[in-house]
């Protein structure tokens, strides 16, 4: 690396990738689009390159026929721009808890040849930051044989475990592209608004929050402005936390772990969020093996985990990652936090979902679709929320669970569910 001008072009930087390599792609808002496109441009000379990643954002296409001949996408969490290839002969999905993905790299179960990441510019001491996504990237850069970094002044410098010295980076590429943005605060349906109110009613002062991805968690946050002494220990965060942090509703004063600090593994939001976390010592962005470790989650009292589902059956089994056999997303951190919250003193694991899909199909069903994956078992489910109410399944038998879930199903589907109940339980 030339000390006077350490930066090279993206096309030069990805020359280190060889046929047969396993390549890690940094994810979410940190997706290194420029490096990925440069790698894809080498598709004619590369064969059998395995790509591993969680969620990817940005204007990249992994589904072009010419790329499929060169790259196999082994997804650890399926996202919109990898869904088609992950469900094809040229890709696949690894069912795994988000907390355990770092072990795949550290234990050489999936050893990384090349890690493509996006970082902040180096500080005066030569340290870059993994910025918006430390999550599984920490273990990837620690174990990869070669690290290639897209250095972007738009990437925030975040505190926590994301610092990476330039001496550990084999190639640096300067890039000033805007980070991908996702705005969860758009106009939402009345049913989502009701769900937000219901979930907020379950959250006590002093609760330590974990928020999943999407409009429902953001809607919940909008209803917490009058709460006091909330904490934040979450796998991801978005813009919705900013007003609560600014007004002191979230102050992390009641936590037992990282007192006074908000903890996350990654963040996805708008530029406002990325500017808010830049060099902000009150936000710690950490290795996901630490953040999502149930033994850490449970240390904070009143841990409250809010996650969603694709469908839930009458016994409480939650499918959150597939539509039948079609892999839609992944296990992610839902079970990490559902279990951690249930073990926390006065904790609350919550599944919140609209009662029907956008096409009016019930999400509360007699049986999960054939081939559907159970992400959260019926033994782990406690609170379930729809726009029609709140139920607590903990300690309830199968018949009681079914009756409770029918009560919060959409009225248009309750008769069908009642018939399924009587058919199954002969009562």
């Amino acid at each position: 690396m030339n000390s006077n001008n350490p930066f090279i072009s993206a096309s030069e930087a990805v020359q280190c990738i060889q046929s047969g390599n396993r390549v890690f792609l940094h994810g979410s808002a940190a997706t290194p689009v420029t490096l990925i496109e440069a790698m894809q441009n080498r598709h004619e000379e590369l064969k059998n390159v395995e790509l591993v990643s969680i969620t990817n954002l940005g204007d990249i296409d992994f589904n072009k026929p010419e790329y499929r001949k060169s790259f196999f996408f082994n997804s650890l969490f399926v996202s919109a721009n990898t869904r088609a290839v992950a469900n094809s002969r040229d890709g696949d999905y690894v069912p795994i808890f988000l907390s355990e993905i770092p072990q795949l790299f550290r234990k050489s179960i999936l050893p990384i040849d090349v890690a493509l990441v996006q970082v902040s510019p180096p500080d005066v001491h030569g340290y870059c930051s993994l910025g918006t996504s430390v999550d599984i990237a920490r273990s990837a850069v620690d174990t990869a044989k070669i690290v290639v970094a897209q250095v972007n002044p738009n990437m925030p410098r975040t505190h926590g475990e994301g610092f990476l010295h330039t001496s550990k980076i084999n190639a640096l590429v300067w890039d000033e592209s805007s980070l991908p943005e996702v705005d969860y605060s758009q106009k939402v349906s009345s049913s989502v608004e009701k769900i937000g109110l219901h979930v907020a009613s379950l959250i006590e002062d002093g609760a330590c929050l974990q928020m999943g991805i999407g409009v429902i968690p953001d809607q919940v946050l909008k209803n917490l402005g009058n709460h006091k002494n909330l904490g934040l220990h979450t796998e991801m965060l978005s813009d919705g936390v900013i007003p609560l942090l600014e007004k002191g509703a979230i102050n992390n004063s009641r936590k037992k772990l990282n007192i006074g600090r908000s903890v996350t593994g990654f963040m996805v939001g708008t530029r406002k969020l990325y500017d808010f976390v830049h060099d902000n010592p009150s936000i710690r962005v950490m290795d996901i093996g630490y953040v999502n470790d149930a033994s850490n989650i449970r240390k904070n009292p009143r841990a409250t985990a809010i996650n969603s589902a694709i469908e839930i059956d009458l016994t409480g089994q939650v499918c959150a990652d597939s539509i039948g056999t079609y892999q839609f997303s992944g296990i992610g951190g839902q079970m990490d936090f559902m279990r951690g919250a249930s073990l926390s003193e006065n904790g609350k694991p919550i599944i919140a979902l609209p009662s029907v899909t956008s096409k009016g199909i019930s999400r509360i069903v007699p049986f999960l679709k054939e081939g559907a994956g159970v992400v959260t078992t019926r033994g782990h489910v406690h609170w379930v929320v729809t726009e029609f109410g709140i139920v607590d399944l903990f300690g309830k038998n199968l018949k009681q669970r079914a009756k409770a879930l029918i009560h919060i199903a959409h009225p248009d589907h309750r008769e069908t569910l009642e018939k399924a109940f009587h058919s199954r339980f002969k009562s």
Side-chain angles (χ1 to χ4, degrees):
M1 189 180 297
N2 187 327
S3 58
N4 295 321
N5 182 18
F7 301 104
I8 60 177
S9 69
S11 58
E12 290 177 285
V14 299
Q15 290 299 314
C16 62
I17 299 172
Q18 303 297 316
S19 293
N21 278 176
R22 179 178 290 113
V23 179
F24 168 79
L25 309 180
H26 206 174
S28 300
T31 303
V33 174
T34 299
L35 292 177
I36 291 172
E37 289 177 338
M39 176 187 68
Q40 290 174 328
N41 289 337
R42 294 187 59 210
H43 66 90
E44 290 186 354
E45 57 190 279
L46 292 174
K47 302 297 178 187
N48 301 316
V49 172
E50 180 184 325
L51 308 178
V52 294
S53 183
I54 46 176
T55 301
N56 294 117
L57 296 175
D59 188 19
I60 43 178
D61 184 0
F62 294 99
N63 198 36
K64 290 183 178 179
E66 59 266 35
Y67 297 160
R68 284 172 171 245
K69 295 177 182 178
S70 304
F71 306 105
F72 181 90
F73 208 105
N74 200 20
S75 183
L76 303 174
F77 190 96
V78 177
S79 53
N81 55 13
T82 61
R83 202 166 284 141
V85 69
N87 283 279
S88 76
R89 61 181 293 179
D90 303 306
D92 211 333
Y93 163 67
V94 179
I96 188 169
F97 298 136
L98 191 55
S99 61
E100 294 185 341
I101 292 176
Q103 295 182 35
L104 299 181
F105 306 150
R106 297 191 188 280
K107 294 182 177 180
S108 293
I109 297 168
L110 292 179
I112 303 299
D113 294 300
V114 181
L116 303 183
V117 297
Q118 184 165 200
V119 300
S120 68
D123 61 18
V124 294
H125 304 290
Y127 284 94
C128 301
S129 167
L130 291 168
T132 57
S133 293
V134 174
D135 46 56
I136 69 170
R138 176 75 269 170
S139 56
V141 297
D142 285 347
T143 60
K145 296 173 184 174
I146 298 172
V147 177
V148 179
Q150 182 174 314
V151 182
N152 191 340
N154 291 309
M155 175 65 78
R157 178 182 184 270
T158 58
H159 290 239
E161 294 183 312
F163 292 115
L164 180 64
H165 197 269
T166 50
S167 63
K168 304 295 183 182
I169 301 173
N170 299 90
L172 296 168
V173 175
W174 186 262
D175 183 87
E176 298 185 13
S177 302
S178 297
L179 298 186
E181 297 184 39
V182 179
D183 186 358
Y184 295 113
S185 65
Q186 69 267 31
K187 177 66 178 175
V188 297
S189 65
S190 61
S191 63
V192 170
E193 289 179 344
K194 291 175 184 175
I195 292 169
L197 286 168
H198 287 324
V199 174
S201 73
L202 291 173
I203 298 173
E204 303 170 86
D205 288 343
C208 186
L209 304 177
Q210 177 259 331
M211 317 297 289
I213 297 173
V215 295
I216 289 177
D218 196 80
Q219 195 63 34
V220 173
L221 291 168
K222 289 180 180 178
N223 293 295
L224 299 180
N226 293 323
H227 279 62
K228 296 178 176 61
N229 301 317
L230 296 173
L232 195 63
H233 184 110
T234 181
E235 70 183 50
M236 72 87 66
L237 58 81
S238 58
D239 290 63
V241 303
I242 297 175
L244 298 177
L245 286 164
E246 288 179 334
K247 72 181 298 184
I250 296 176
N251 61 20
N252 297 291
S253 63
R254 302 296 172 85
K255 294 168 70 174
K256 301 297 184 185
L257 199 62
N258 297 289
I259 300 170
R261 301 287 185 271
S262 295
V263 171
T264 188
F266 67 99
M267 60 199 69
V268 178
T270 69
R271 189 67 234 178
K272 181 179 180 180
L273 176 68
Y274 307 148
D275 290 340
F276 181 81
V277 301
H278 175 66
D279 210 18
N280 186 338
S282 72
I283 310 289
R284 304 195 75 205
V285 192
M286 309 289 282
D287 186 311
I288 210 67
Y290 172 87
V291 177
N292 282 39
D293 186 334
S295 66
N296 289 330
I297 296 164
R298 70 179 299 183
K299 289 177 183 176
N300 291 314
R302 302 187 191 280
T304 303
I306 304 160
N307 291 277
S308 195
I310 292 173
E311 60 180 3
I312 180 170
D313 76 7
L314 288 178
T315 72
Q317 293 187 114
V318 172
C319 172
D321 70 337
S322 68
I323 302 172
T325 58
Y326 185 81
Q327 197 62 44
F328 188 80
S329 56
I331 291 173
Q334 181 171 124
M335 264 303 304
D336 294 329
F337 276 91
M338 292 294 284
R339 189 59 176 156
S342 69
L343 295 171
S344 162
E345 181 183 354
N346 297 314
K348 288 180 180 174
I350 302 168
I351 295 290
L353 71 165
S355 63
V356 294
T357 69
S358 59
K359 297 180 179 179
I361 300 169
S362 182
R363 292 180 182 271
I364 297 176
V365 294
F367 306 100
L368 299 181
K369 290 181 179 64
E370 184 177 3
V374 175
V375 169
T376 299
T377 77
R378 56 195 182 187
H380 290 97
V381 170
H382 288 213
W383 298 92
V384 181
V385 179
T386 74
E387 69 271 31
F388 294 104
I390 304 168
V391 295
D392 183 5
L393 303 186
F394 186 63
K396 288 183 169 59
N397 62 36
L398 296 180
K399 293 176 185 177
Q400 291 169 332
R401 286 163 171 257
K403 287 179 179 178
L405 288 168
I406 291 170
H407 180 71
I408 62 168
H410 194 285
D412 291 349
H413 297 282
R414 289 177 190 170
E415 183 178 350
T416 300
L417 293 171
E418 288 280 3
K419 289 178 179 178
F421 172 88
H422 291 298
S423 174
R424 176 168 185 165
F425 296 109
K426 314 300 180 189
S427 61

